[in-house]
């Protein structure tokens, strides 16, 4: 495992900036668990919702301009945001055993951005990996990696180490329903006399 920090390779990749993005990504993961943990949800549906929410969050983050250093080179399904002048892409995947090889491809927007962003500093491509986690033993986390553009070899790796709240397992057995007694309700005296109906016989 590499020990260098992304900031060693590009001055725009500061610890504060990476922490902000990582926290926002994890927020979308936990939001998805809170709103999509039904009997009809599984790894595929959760992964799709997490990807969509993170993508939309990154687009809104660029449009709202809260962070002057955060931009957007390309929107859409192959979204390419920028940290300063550094473009990146993201996937919901395991960085140590990635299955989504398409995320390693550099789209035209990324190549254009890198054409001037890396004229002096080392030429790496940057990827965020969101590991969803499905139990208390496998909590979600995000990792930011720098890869050699030609070989895809890992050159630099940074993992978010902030506080991560506990989550429940989506595939775990659901707890049984809780039976609650009827609440004791005491009605105030109405002060109204109810007349009994007269017998018509």
């Amino acid at each position: 495992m590499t020990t260098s920090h992304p900031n060693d390779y590009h001055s725009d990749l500061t610890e504060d900036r990476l922490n902000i993005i990582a926290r926002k990504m994890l927020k979308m993961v936990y939001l998805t668990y809170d709103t999509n943990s039904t009997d009809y949800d599984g790894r595929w549906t959760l992964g799709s919702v997490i990807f969509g929410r993170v993508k939309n969050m990154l687009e809104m983050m660029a449009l709202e301009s809260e962070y002057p250093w955060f931009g957007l080179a390309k929107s859409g399904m192959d979204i390419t945001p920028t940290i300063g002048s550094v473009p990146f892409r993201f996937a919901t995947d395991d960085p140590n055993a990635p299955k989504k090889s398409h995320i390693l491809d550099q789209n035209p927007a990324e190549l254009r951005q890198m054409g001037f962003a890396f004229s002096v500093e080392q030429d790496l491509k940057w990827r965020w990996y969101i590991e969803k986690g499905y139990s208390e033993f496998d909590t979600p986390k995000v990792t930011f990696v720098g890869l050699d553009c030609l070989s895809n070899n890992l050159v630099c790796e940074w993992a978010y180490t902030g506080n991560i709240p506990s989550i429940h397992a989506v595939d775990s057995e659901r707890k049984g329903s809780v039976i609650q007694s009827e609440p004791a309700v005491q009605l105030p005296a109405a002060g109204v006399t109810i007349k009994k109906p007269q017998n018509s016989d």
Side-chain angles (χ1 to χ4, degrees), residues 17-46:
R17 293 174 179 181
L18 299 182
N19 276 315
I20 288 170
I21 295 171
R23 280 196 301 268
K24 287 180 175 290
M25 286 181 169
L26 277 181
K27 182 179 179 181
M28 294 300 103
V29 175
Y30 292 119
L31 176 63
T32 301
Y33 277 106
D34 287 343
T35 57
N36 291 72
S37 296
T38 71
D39 289 333
Y40 309 106
D41 287 299
R43 292 177 180 264
W44 186 85
T45 59
L46 286 170

Side-chain angles (χ1 to χ4, degrees), residues 11-172:
S11 58
D12 286 342
L13 302 175
T14 65
E15 181 78 5
D16 287 345
R17 293 174 179 181
L18 299 182
N19 276 315
I20 288 170
I21 295 171
R23 280 196 301 268
K24 287 180 175 290
M25 286 181 169
L26 277 181
K27 182 179 179 181
M28 294 300 103
V29 175
Y30 292 119
L31 176 63
T32 301
Y33 277 106
D34 287 343
T35 57
N36 291 72
S37 296
T38 71
D39 289 333
Y40 309 106
D41 287 299
R43 292 177 180 264
W44 186 85
T45 59
L46 286 170
S48 298
V49 174
I50 289 169
F51 178 87
R53 285 180 168 169
V54 171
K55 180 185 79 69
N56 295 339
M57 179 272 294
L58 293 172
E59 289 177 343
M60 290 300 297
M61 188 175 166
L63 290 173
E64 290 170 353
S65 303
E66 180 180 356
Y67 304 100
W69 47 266
F70 191 84
L72 193 62
K74 186 182 186 308
S75 59
M77 295 306 290
D78 59 341
I79 182 173
T80 310
T82 57
I83 304 171
S85 60
V86 182
F88 69 85
R89 297 180 66 194
F90 83 95
T92 52
D93 207 348
D94 181 352
N96 298 310
K99 297 181 178 65
K100 299 174 181 176
S101 58
H102 68 277
I103 197 64
L104 298 176
D105 297 337
Q106 294 169 280
N107 61 28
E110 187 177 18
L111 290 171
R112 282 195 303 273
Q113 186 78 12
M114 291 179 72
F116 64 84
F118 291 82
S119 57
V120 177
E121 300 176 83
Q122 183 168 345
D123 192 358
L124 297 178
K125 56 185 174 184
W126 298 92
R127 299 293 183 265
W128 284 96
Y129 285 99
I130 303 171
E131 296 178 78
K132 299 181 288 291
Y134 290 100
S135 74
E136 63 271 26
F137 306 109
D138 183 23
T139 55
K141 61 182 178 181
V142 292
T143 306
F144 188 57
V145 300
L147 305 168
D148 181 275
C149 287
L150 297 177
S151 66
N152 288 329
N153 288 334
L154 181 67
V155 176
C156 180
E157 181 175 4
W158 177 92
Y160 181 63
T161 56
N163 293 329
I164 299 177
S166 60
I167 61 168
H168 61 276
V170 173
D171 297 329
S172 64

